[in-house]
Amino acid sequence: MAMITVHCPECGSQNVVKNGKQSNGKPRFRCDNPDCKRRYFQTTYTHKGRQPEVKRQILEMTLNGAGIRDTSRVLGVGRNTITREIKKHRNLTGESSTSG
Ligand SMILES: [Zn+2]
């Protein structure tokens, strides 16, 4: 049985504790970071764009020259989500693009 490292979706901390199951059978976790606003979370999401890991991948792909369509297809997130993330960190890319 493989160990899966679980990160808190709010603060990214690995200091999380498994905390039983939800009524739908999915495992639930508790974040032990005292500075974290979020206490409980689960590892499955309906919106992939909300995951910090995905946001990081969006930026990485963008910095490596991938287009929005490529990033959208590879990561499985919407183009609007990608555009939003890029705009937030546009100073990192060093260029402004108006194409969509
Ligand atoms: Zn947390």
Side-chain angles (χ1 to χ4, degrees), residues 29-99:
F29 295 88
R30 188 189 74 211
C31 180
D32 265 2
N33 179 1
D35 295 326
C36 184
K37 282 175 273 183
R38 189 164 185 157
R39 294 307 303 267
Y40 295 99
F41 62 92
Q42 58 190 68
T43 53
T44 51
Y45 299 84
T46 48
H47 294 98
K48 285 185 83 174
R50 297 187 61 142
Q51 298 180 55
E53 175 70 15
V54 171
K55 290 182 179 182
R56 198 177 57 77
Q57 287 180 310
I58 289 171
L59 291 175
E60 266 185 20
M61 288 190 70
T62 302
L63 290 171
N64 282 304
I68 290 176
R69 271 178 297 178
D70 295 326
T71 309
S72 173
R73 192 178 63 244
V74 171
L75 298 181
V77 298
R79 285 160 68 176
N80 288 341
T81 302
I82 293 165
T83 307
R84 195 170 60 234
E85 289 304 314
I86 292 172
K87 279 181 178 174
K88 272 196 269 182
H89 299 272
R90 194 162 53 186
N91 55 338
L92 290 177
T93 64
E95 57 181 324
S96 61
S97 174
T98 53
S99 64

